[in-house]
Amino acid sequence: MSEIKLSEMRDLTRIERIGAHSHIRGLGLDSALEARSSSEGMVGQTSARKAAGVIVKMVQDGKIAGRAVLLAGQPGTGKTAIAMGMAKSIGQETPFAMLAGSELFSLEMSKTEALMQAFRKAIGVRIKEETEVIEGEVVEIQIDRPAVAGAASKTGKLTLKTTDMETVYDLGGKMIEALGKEKVQSGDVIGIDKASGKITKLGRSFSRSRDYDAMGPQTKFVQCPDGELQKRKEVVHCVTLHEIDVINSRTQGFLALFTGDTGEIRAEVREQIDTKVAEWREEGKAEIIPGVLFIDEVHMLDIECFSFLNRALENDMAPILVVATNRGITSIRGTNYRSPHGIPIDFLDRLLIISTQPYTGDDIRKILDIRCQEEDVEMSEDAKVLLTKIGEDTSLRYAINLITSASLSCLKRKGKIVEMEDISRVYELFYDVKRSTQYLMEYQSQYMFSEMGTGEGNEDEANAMVS
C-alpha cells in the first residue's frame, strides 16, 4: 500500500495550476537589455521592460541597496506581470518577497512589524563554512542482522575506495538506515558529511556503466574520486535574515518557518543577529545578498507605513523596493491630503517611476495567443479576431477570462476548436464592467440602498464611473 501512495504523491506534484501570470518566464530582454516584441511570455511595454531589466541588473550586481521603484499605470497594463518577470529573471539565490498592501491590515501583528519581516525576507545571507566529508565509490556493503528480532541493533561494514586508496568503515544502526533510505548499492559514488552523518548519492561510477542493459534517464554517471577519502570542502548555505530571526526567536523556534505563525520578533534579537552577520562579513564567512521586496497596491498603505519605509530604505542592509499602483491623484490613507498615486511627496521623491501604457490591438492579440497556448485551448482565427475586438472595447482581463469559458462552451457542443459562436455565447452569459454598470443604471430603483438619483444625468454619470 505504501508504494501505491508514494506513486500517487509523485503524480500529484507534477500538476501545475494555470494562474493569471503562469505564462511569464522572464522579462523577454536580450543580452543588451533591449526588449523583444514578444518573448518569455511578455508582450509590448518595451520601455517599462527595459527599465525593469536595468533594475534586475542592479540587483544581480549586488552593489547597491535601498533603492525604490514605482510601477505606475492603468489597471490591466501588466504591472504585476513585469514584477513576476523580474522575479524569474533574478534567479534562485536572490531573495524575492511579494506582499499586497492590504495584507498588512489583516495580519495579527503591527503594520511596522509586518513590513520589517517582509524587508528581512528580501535580504539573503550567503554563509560559507568548511566541513569534513568522506567521498568515495562503494565497493561493498555488509550488514549483519541479529538472529532474534529485537535482540540487538544491526551492525555492518562499508568499503569505500578512491583511485588511490580503499578503506573499510564500521556501520551503526543509524548509518545503515540512512544507506537504505538513499538506496545505496555497490558501484555508487557517495559523500558522507562527518558532522551530521548525512549521506548524499553523487551518482554511479563509470566503471559500472555496463552492469545493466538498460538504465533510467535519471541515472547520472560520475568519475571515481581521486586522492584521500576524507576531504575538507567549502559548503555554501543561502538563507534570509528573516529565517535566521525566526530560528533564533525563543518564543517561536524554527517550527514557525513551516507554520507561518512567526509572531512579533523582538528588536534585541534582530540587533544581535545583525551584529553576528556583520562579524561574519568581516571574517569572510558570509556575504549579504540584497534582494527585491515587491509591494502591490501600495496606495493601501497609510502614512505610518510610508514613514517606516522612508526610514527603512536608509538602512545599510535594505533590499531594492518595487511598488505598484493603479491609482491617480488620490488621498493618502490616514490623512486628508491628496497626492499623486496616494503616496506622500517625500516618499515619491525617492522613487524611480516606471510607467506602463495601455496595450494596443496587436499586443492584445499576441497576449491572447499566449494565453490560449498556456490554457491548452484551440481557437479559430475568426474567434481570436472577435476576442481581440472584445479586449479592445472592454478590457484585456475580461477577454482572457472568456478563453476558458469559451472552451467549455465548445466542449458542450462536442466541438474541438473554439469558434465565434462560443465567444458570442459566453459574451452574452458574462457581463463586463461597462454593461453591468449600464444594467444597474436602468434597474437601480429595484436595488436596495441605491444612492443614484433619477434623471437624465444618470447615463453620463454611469459612463464617467466606468471610464
mmCIF file of all heavy atoms in Angstrom, residues 369-396:
data_model
loop_
_atom_site.group_PDB
_atom_site.id
_atom_site.type_symbol
_atom_site.label_atom_id
_atom_site.label_comp_id
_atom_site.label_asym_id
_atom_site.label_seq_id
_atom_site.Cartn_x
_atom_site.Cartn_y
_atom_site.Cartn_z
ATOM 1 N N ASP A 369 -3.037 34.938 -27.791
ATOM 2 C CA ASP A 369 -2.413 33.740 -28.387
ATOM 3 C C ASP A 369 -1.614 32.971 -27.330
ATOM 4 O O ASP A 369 -1.692 31.743 -27.241
ATOM 5 C CB ASP A 369 -1.482 34.137 -29.539
ATOM 6 C CG ASP A 369 -2.246 34.529 -30.805
ATOM 7 O OD1 ASP A 369 -3.428 34.138 -30.913
ATOM 8 O OD2 ASP A 369 -1.666 35.233 -31.654
ATOM 9 N N ILE A 370 -0.841 33.718 -26.531
ATOM 10 C CA ILE A 370 -0.030 33.087 -25.477
ATOM 11 C C ILE A 370 -0.926 32.420 -24.443
ATOM 12 O O ILE A 370 -0.667 31.288 -24.005
ATOM 13 C CB ILE A 370 0.896 34.132 -24.809
ATOM 14 C CG1 ILE A 370 1.970 34.592 -25.800
ATOM 15 C CG2 ILE A 370 1.552 33.569 -23.549
ATOM 16 C CD1 ILE A 370 2.738 35.825 -25.351
ATOM 17 N N ARG A 371 -2.015 33.096 -24.050
ATOM 18 C CA ARG A 371 -2.918 32.534 -23.037
ATOM 19 C C ARG A 371 -3.660 31.301 -23.565
ATOM 20 O O ARG A 371 -3.878 30.348 -22.810
ATOM 21 C CB ARG A 371 -3.929 33.591 -22.576
ATOM 22 C CG ARG A 371 -3.355 34.706 -21.768
ATOM 23 C CD ARG A 371 -2.654 34.225 -20.516
ATOM 24 N NE ARG A 371 -3.503 33.449 -19.627
ATOM 25 C CZ ARG A 371 -3.098 32.921 -18.481
ATOM 26 N NH1 ARG A 371 -1.843 33.066 -18.090
ATOM 27 N NH2 ARG A 371 -3.929 32.244 -17.726
ATOM 28 N N CYS A 372 -4.016 31.309 -24.841
ATOM 29 C CA CYS A 372 -4.657 30.118 -25.442
ATOM 30 C C CYS A 372 -3.703 28.927 -25.393
ATOM 31 O O CYS A 372 -4.112 27.799 -25.089
ATOM 32 C CB CYS A 372 -5.074 30.397 -26.883
ATOM 33 S SG CYS A 372 -6.519 31.448 -27.044
ATOM 34 N N GLN A 373 -2.441 29.194 -25.687
ATOM 35 C CA GLN A 373 -1.434 28.129 -25.640
ATOM 36 C C GLN A 373 -1.225 27.646 -24.201
ATOM 37 O O GLN A 373 -1.126 26.451 -23.944
ATOM 38 C CB GLN A 373 -0.118 28.666 -26.208
ATOM 39 C CG GLN A 373 0.931 27.583 -26.436
ATOM 40 C CD GLN A 373 2.182 28.144 -27.093
ATOM 41 O OE1 GLN A 373 2.231 29.313 -27.464
ATOM 42 N NE2 GLN A 373 3.199 27.325 -27.232
ATOM 43 N N GLU A 374 -1.190 28.598 -23.254
ATOM 44 C CA GLU A 374 -0.978 28.255 -21.840
ATOM 45 C C GLU A 374 -2.150 27.428 -21.290
ATOM 46 O O GLU A 374 -1.953 26.495 -20.519
ATOM 47 C CB GLU A 374 -0.823 29.553 -21.033
ATOM 48 C CG GLU A 374 -0.596 29.363 -19.553
ATOM 49 C CD GLU A 374 0.785 28.843 -19.213
ATOM 50 O OE1 GLU A 374 1.674 28.841 -20.087
ATOM 51 O OE2 GLU A 374 0.970 28.430 -18.058
ATOM 52 N N GLU A 375 -3.375 27.787 -21.685
ATOM 53 C CA GLU A 375 -4.562 27.098 -21.182
ATOM 54 C C GLU A 375 -4.959 25.910 -22.049
ATOM 55 O O GLU A 375 -5.991 25.279 -21.803
ATOM 56 C CB GLU A 375 -5.727 28.088 -21.070
ATOM 57 C CG GLU A 375 -5.448 29.205 -20.071
ATOM 58 C CD GLU A 375 -6.576 30.217 -19.968
ATOM 59 O OE1 GLU A 375 -7.734 29.842 -20.237
ATOM 60 O OE2 GLU A 375 -6.299 31.380 -19.614
ATOM 61 N N ASP A 376 -4.112 25.623 -23.076
ATOM 62 C CA ASP A 376 -4.331 24.471 -23.955
ATOM 63 C C ASP A 376 -5.704 24.525 -24.632
ATOM 64 O O ASP A 376 -6.484 23.568 -24.615
ATOM 65 C CB ASP A 376 -4.179 23.164 -23.160
ATOM 66 C CG ASP A 376 -3.902 21.969 -24.072
ATOM 67 O OD1 ASP A 376 -3.504 22.203 -25.232
ATOM 68 O OD2 ASP A 376 -4.101 20.823 -23.635
ATOM 69 N N VAL A 377 -6.003 25.693 -25.218
ATOM 70 C CA VAL A 377 -7.283 25.904 -25.911
ATOM 71 C C VAL A 377 -7.003 26.175 -27.382
ATOM 72 O O VAL A 377 -6.228 27.078 -27.715
ATOM 73 C CB VAL A 377 -8.056 27.088 -25.281
ATOM 74 C CG1 VAL A 377 -9.310 27.410 -26.101
ATOM 75 C CG2 VAL A 377 -8.425 26.785 -23.839
ATOM 76 N N GLU A 378 -7.624 25.380 -28.259
ATOM 77 C CA GLU A 378 -7.512 25.616 -29.709
ATOM 78 C C GLU A 378 -8.626 26.545 -30.140
ATOM 79 O O GLU A 378 -9.797 26.275 -29.882
ATOM 80 C CB GLU A 378 -7.588 24.287 -30.471
ATOM 81 C CG GLU A 378 -6.317 23.454 -30.388
ATOM 82 C CD GLU A 378 -6.343 22.303 -31.385
ATOM 83 O OE1 GLU A 378 -6.555 22.571 -32.585
ATOM 84 O OE2 GLU A 378 -6.187 21.152 -30.945
ATOM 85 N N MET A 379 -8.257 27.638 -30.809
ATOM 86 C CA MET A 379 -9.242 28.645 -31.191
ATOM 87 C C MET A 379 -9.056 29.021 -32.654
ATOM 88 O O MET A 379 -7.917 29.152 -33.129
ATOM 89 C CB MET A 379 -9.070 29.876 -30.283
ATOM 90 C CG MET A 379 -10.208 30.862 -30.354
ATOM 91 S SD MET A 379 -10.010 32.253 -29.185
ATOM 92 C CE MET A 379 -10.316 31.426 -27.632
ATOM 93 N N SER A 380 -10.169 29.174 -33.353
ATOM 94 C CA SER A 380 -10.106 29.536 -34.771
ATOM 95 C C SER A 380 -9.667 30.985 -34.928
ATOM 96 O O SER A 380 -9.736 31.782 -33.989
ATOM 97 C CB SER A 380 -11.472 29.336 -35.426
ATOM 98 O OG SER A 380 -12.395 30.289 -34.932
ATOM 99 N N GLU A 381 -9.227 31.336 -36.137
ATOM 100 C CA GLU A 381 -8.728 32.685 -36.412
ATOM 101 C C GLU A 381 -9.831 33.720 -36.210
ATOM 102 O O GLU A 381 -9.605 34.778 -35.625
ATOM 103 C CB GLU A 381 -8.189 32.748 -37.847
ATOM 104 C CG GLU A 381 -7.474 34.034 -38.221
ATOM 105 C CD GLU A 381 -6.203 34.261 -37.423
ATOM 106 O OE1 GLU A 381 -5.594 33.277 -36.951
ATOM 107 O OE2 GLU A 381 -5.839 35.447 -37.250
ATOM 108 N N ASP A 382 -11.048 33.408 -36.689
ATOM 109 C CA ASP A 382 -12.171 34.349 -36.553
ATOM 110 C C ASP A 382 -12.510 34.589 -35.086
ATOM 111 O O ASP A 382 -12.808 35.722 -34.683
ATOM 112 C CB ASP A 382 -13.412 33.811 -37.285
ATOM 113 C CG ASP A 382 -13.219 33.796 -38.794
ATOM 114 O OD1 ASP A 382 -12.330 34.531 -39.276
ATOM 115 O OD2 ASP A 382 -13.956 33.060 -39.479
ATOM 116 N N ALA A 383 -12.448 33.526 -34.284
ATOM 117 C CA ALA A 383 -12.754 33.654 -32.854
ATOM 118 C C ALA A 383 -11.714 34.531 -32.161
ATOM 119 O O ALA A 383 -12.050 35.344 -31.290
ATOM 120 C CB ALA A 383 -12.805 32.268 -32.206
ATOM 121 N N LYS A 384 -10.452 34.396 -32.576
ATOM 122 C CA LYS A 384 -9.389 35.225 -31.973
ATOM 123 C C LYS A 384 -9.563 36.691 -32.351
ATOM 124 O O LYS A 384 -9.331 37.585 -31.529
ATOM 125 C CB LYS A 384 -8.016 34.729 -32.424
ATOM 126 C CG LYS A 384 -7.564 33.457 -31.712
ATOM 127 C CD LYS A 384 -6.192 33.020 -32.184
ATOM 128 C CE LYS A 384 -5.756 31.741 -31.470
ATOM 129 N NZ LYS A 384 -4.468 31.232 -31.962
ATOM 130 N N VAL A 385 -9.978 36.945 -33.602
ATOM 131 C CA VAL A 385 -10.217 38.335 -34.036
ATOM 132 C C VAL A 385 -11.344 38.946 -33.202
ATOM 133 O O VAL A 385 -11.249 40.089 -32.738
ATOM 134 C CB VAL A 385 -10.569 38.377 -35.538
ATOM 135 C CG1 VAL A 385 -11.062 39.761 -35.945
ATOM 136 C CG2 VAL A 385 -9.358 37.987 -36.379
ATOM 137 N N LEU A 386 -12.431 38.172 -32.980
ATOM 138 C CA LEU A 386 -13.567 38.660 -32.190
ATOM 139 C C LEU A 386 -13.153 38.904 -30.741
ATOM 140 O O LEU A 386 -13.504 39.927 -30.145
ATOM 141 C CB LEU A 386 -14.707 37.640 -32.247
ATOM 142 C CG LEU A 386 -15.954 37.968 -31.402
ATOM 143 C CD1 LEU A 386 -16.556 39.308 -31.831
ATOM 144 C CD2 LEU A 386 -16.991 36.858 -31.512
ATOM 145 N N LEU A 387 -12.365 37.978 -30.184
ATOM 146 C CA LEU A 387 -11.928 38.111 -28.795
ATOM 147 C C LEU A 387 -11.004 39.320 -28.625
ATOM 148 O O LEU A 387 -11.064 40.018 -27.606
ATOM 149 C CB LEU A 387 -11.226 36.826 -28.356
ATOM 150 C CG LEU A 387 -11.050 36.605 -26.847
ATOM 151 C CD1 LEU A 387 -12.397 36.594 -26.143
ATOM 152 C CD2 LEU A 387 -10.329 35.299 -26.565
ATOM 153 N N THR A 388 -10.171 39.584 -29.637
ATOM 154 C CA THR A 388 -9.291 40.764 -29.603
ATOM 155 C C THR A 388 -10.132 42.043 -29.615
ATOM 156 O O THR A 388 -9.837 42.996 -28.884
ATOM 157 C CB THR A 388 -8.334 40.762 -30.811
ATOM 158 O OG1 THR A 388 -7.590 39.538 -30.810
ATOM 159 C CG2 THR A 388 -7.371 41.926 -30.753
ATOM 160 N N LYS A 389 -11.178 42.066 -30.438
ATOM 161 C CA LYS A 389 -12.077 43.236 -30.509
ATOM 162 C C LYS A 389 -12.767 43.455 -29.158
ATOM 163 O O LYS A 389 -12.890 44.593 -28.686
ATOM 164 C CB LYS A 389 -13.127 43.003 -31.606
ATOM 165 C CG LYS A 389 -14.053 44.180 -31.850
ATOM 166 C CD LYS A 389 -13.320 45.299 -32.562
ATOM 167 C CE LYS A 389 -14.261 46.406 -33.005
ATOM 168 N NZ LYS A 389 -14.803 47.190 -31.898
ATOM 169 N N ILE A 390 -13.185 42.346 -28.520
ATOM 170 C CA ILE A 390 -13.818 42.450 -27.194
ATOM 171 C C ILE A 390 -12.810 43.010 -26.190
ATOM 172 O O ILE A 390 -13.140 43.855 -25.366
ATOM 173 C CB ILE A 390 -14.346 41.065 -26.738
ATOM 174 C CG1 ILE A 390 -15.550 40.649 -27.585
ATOM 175 C CG2 ILE A 390 -14.711 41.069 -25.250
ATOM 176 C CD1 ILE A 390 -16.000 39.218 -27.378
ATOM 177 N N GLY A 391 -11.543 42.540 -26.278
ATOM 178 C CA GLY A 391 -10.497 43.023 -25.381
ATOM 179 C C GLY A 391 -10.239 44.510 -25.542
ATOM 180 O O GLY A 391 -9.995 45.215 -24.564
ATOM 181 N N GLU A 392 -10.307 45.011 -26.788
ATOM 182 C CA GLU A 392 -10.100 46.450 -27.045
ATOM 183 C C GLU A 392 -11.261 47.271 -26.501
ATOM 184 O O GLU A 392 -11.072 48.349 -25.952
ATOM 185 C CB GLU A 392 -9.952 46.700 -28.551
ATOM 186 C CG GLU A 392 -8.637 46.209 -29.137
ATOM 187 C CD GLU A 392 -8.565 46.455 -30.630
ATOM 188 O OE1 GLU A 392 -9.063 47.500 -31.085
ATOM 189 O OE2 GLU A 392 -8.022 45.604 -31.350
ATOM 190 N N ASP A 393 -12.505 46.748 -26.672
ATOM 191 C CA ASP A 393 -13.696 47.502 -26.259
ATOM 192 C C ASP A 393 -13.923 47.449 -24.753
ATOM 193 O O ASP A 393 -14.467 48.395 -24.169
ATOM 194 C CB ASP A 393 -14.940 46.967 -26.981
ATOM 195 C CG ASP A 393 -14.880 47.238 -28.481
ATOM 196 O OD1 ASP A 393 -14.076 48.110 -28.887
ATOM 197 O OD2 ASP A 393 -15.617 46.578 -29.237
ATOM 198 N N THR A 394 -13.565 46.329 -24.116
ATOM 199 C CA THR A 394 -13.816 46.175 -22.675
ATOM 200 C C THR A 394 -12.483 46.260 -21.925
ATOM 201 O O THR A 394 -12.037 47.331 -21.584
ATOM 202 C CB THR A 394 -14.542 44.840 -22.388
ATOM 203 O OG1 THR A 394 -13.752 43.745 -22.904
ATOM 204 C CG2 THR A 394 -15.907 44.815 -23.050
ATOM 205 N N SER A 395 -11.886 45.114 -21.655
ATOM 206 C CA SER A 395 -10.575 45.089 -21.001
ATOM 207 C C SER A 395 -9.877 43.775 -21.339
ATOM 208 O O SER A 395 -10.524 42.786 -21.688
ATOM 209 C CB SER A 395 -10.710 45.230 -19.480
ATOM 210 O OG SER A 395 -11.255 44.052 -18.925
ATOM 211 N N LEU A 396 -8.550 43.800 -21.240
ATOM 212 C CA LEU A 396 -7.758 42.598 -21.530
ATOM 213 C C LEU A 396 -8.106 41.472 -20.559
ATOM 214 O O LEU A 396 -8.208 40.313 -20.949
ATOM 215 C CB LEU A 396 -6.265 42.941 -21.443
ATOM 216 C CG LEU A 396 -5.280 41.783 -21.587
ATOM 217 C CD1 LEU A 396 -5.411 41.115 -22.953
ATOM 218 C CD2 LEU A 396 -3.854 42.249 -21.374
#
